[in-house]
């Protein structure tokens, strides 16, 4: 059964080609959301519903009826939002170091994100400034509470800069009775960094266990 993956805020599909290779012969569908990678950059439409709509359009284009779904970092909000709307289509859900919510962003966030993170790290080539400002302007705060009937893998970093607290994991436990937690002790929020190999092995094993 295929896996559909929702990358993080400034991530692109190409950054997960190694996961695609690791999961072969399983089909993996990677996407770059609006304003990232090779996708178009509209002037407006950067809220939760807009990103879920992009995900729905890609799934419709592939013709998938049932699939596994994964979100990393801010991509978790889009994946969880979709799973709550279309539970019959999602065989299992994997969330990477992010709470079950869609966050609004402060007015000071775009400049800080661009000049203190994107440019110094070279990631400004992956997401357009127009998209960063669009995310700040359009994003609304939404708690993504609800029942997740499918198996759920929660992956989080063990270091202090993890964005997933024990309380957040408790929120996921309240949403799913079929929860598996994996902690990556060498990583903070960036669980696809130092612990990438272990994460990918756990993803592969989890997907097999759900079939």
């Amino acid at each position: 059964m295929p896996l559909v993956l929702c990358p993080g805020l400034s991530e692109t599909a190409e950054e997960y080609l190694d996961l695609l290779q690791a999961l072969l012969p399983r089909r993996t569908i990677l996407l770059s959301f609006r304003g990232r990678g090779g996708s178009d950059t509209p002037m407006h439409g950067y809220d939760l519903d807009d990103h879920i709509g992009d995900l729905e359009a890609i799934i419709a284009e592939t013709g998938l009826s049932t699939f596994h779904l994964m979100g990393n970092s801010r991509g978790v909000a889009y994946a969880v939002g979709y799973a709550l709307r279309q539970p019959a289509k999602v065989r299992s859900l994997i969330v990477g170091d992010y709470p079950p919510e869609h966050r609004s962003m402060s007015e000071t966030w775009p400049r800080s994100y661009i000049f203190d993170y994107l440019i110094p790290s070279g990631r400004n080539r992956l997401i357009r400034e127009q998209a960063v400002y669009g995310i700040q302007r359009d994003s609304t705060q939404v708690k993504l509470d609800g029942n997740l009937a499918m198996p759920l893998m929660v992956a989080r970093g063990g270091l202090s800069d993890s964005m997933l607290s024990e309380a957040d994991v408790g929120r996921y436990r309240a949403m799913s009775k079929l929860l598996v937690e994996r902690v990556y002790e060498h990583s903070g929020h960036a669980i696809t960094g130092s612990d990438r190999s272990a994460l990918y092995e756990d993803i592969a094993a989890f997907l097999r266990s759900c079939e």
Side-chain angles (χ1 to χ4, degrees), residues 74-203:
R74 193 173 177 90
V76 166
Y78 314 142
V80 173
Y82 180 92
L84 289 171
R85 293 185 187 184
Q86 301 284 351
K89 292 187 176 183
V90 181
R91 180 66 186 85
S92 74
L93 179 64
I94 301 171
V95 299
D97 205 75
Y98 204 80
E101 62 187 48
H102 183 257
R103 292 179 173 175
S104 60
M105 313 302 278
S106 71
E107 291 186 1
T108 61
W109 172 76
R111 286 189 58 83
S112 174
Y113 189 67
I114 292 167
F115 292 102
D116 296 339
Y117 173 62
L118 291 180
I119 292 176
S121 67
R123 297 190 62 82
N124 56 312
R125 61 186 174 81
L126 303 177
I127 180 171
R128 266 74 73 193
E129 289 190 12
Q130 183 175 312
V132 175
Y133 282 100
I135 290 168
Q136 186 279 319
R137 180 191 62 243
D138 296 345
S139 291
T140 53
Q141 188 78 25
V142 180
K143 288 184 65 177
L144 295 169
D145 294 331
N147 181 43
L148 294 171
M150 69 287 299
L152 171 64
M153 174 177 158
V154 175
R156 67 185 182 100
L159 301 181
S160 59
D161 64 321
S162 169
M163 294 182 67
L164 196 55
S165 68
E166 289 288 349
D168 294 326
V169 176
R171 292 168 63 190
Y172 280 119
R173 289 195 188 101
M175 296 172 71
S176 174
K177 296 179 180 179
L178 302 172
L179 183 142
V180 174
E181 182 183 0
R182 295 289 182 265
V183 181
Y184 300 93
E185 300 293 349
H186 303 292
S187 300
H189 179 57
I191 56 175
T192 54
S194 300
D195 287 302
R196 182 180 293 242
S197 295
L199 172 66
Y200 286 3
E201 289 174 5
D202 288 342
I203 290 171

